[in-house]
Amino acid sequence: MEEMVNQSKGMAIASMVLGIVGLVLSCLVIGIIPCVIGLILGIVVLVKQKAGQGMAIAGIVTSLIGIALFIMVLIGFGSAMSQLESEVIHQRIGAVGEAWESAVEYGRDFEAAVRQF
């Protein structure tokens, strides 16, 4: 019995530590992995044993916050990339537009020069 209590306390500590690590690394892609593992361990401790519930709850909360931050960073990164892509496309269209206008002007000048002969 005491062995199960020690095991659940160890899982609760692992849940809390992984939740904190995942929270710190949530701005990186790798940060989601410790958050998910910490969340699973915390839930297992809460369901199976009463020992270490406080640390398990702390692990679950920090893991959920880390997952939420990861999702927000992912959405922000996607939005920034979309905005950057739009700006690049507008710049390319602008450059082509200027070149097209120059070609049209050159064509008009050429037509006028040909008509004179």
Side-chain angles (χ1 to χ4, degrees), residues 9-38:
K9 281 185 179 180
M11 288 175 61
I13 292 170
S15 170
M16 186 176 67
V17 169
L18 286 170
I20 293 169
V21 168
L23 184 62
V24 170
L25 297 176
S26 63
C27 61
L28 304 174
V29 175
I30 198 167
I32 192 74
I33 296 169
C35 284
V36 170
I37 296 171

Side-chain angles (χ1 to χ4, degrees), residues 26-73:
S26 63
C27 61
L28 304 174
V29 175
I30 198 167
I32 192 74
I33 296 169
C35 284
V36 170
I37 296 171
L39 181 65
I40 292 169
L41 288 176
I43 291 172
V44 167
V45 170
L46 283 181
V47 169
K48 287 192 173 187
Q49 294 292 327
K50 301 230 184 243
Q53 280 188 341
M55 287 183 280
I57 291 171
I60 290 171
V61 169
T62 54
S63 294
L64 288 174
I65 292 171
I67 290 170
L69 283 174
F70 174 77
I71 291 170
M72 289 190 300
V73 166

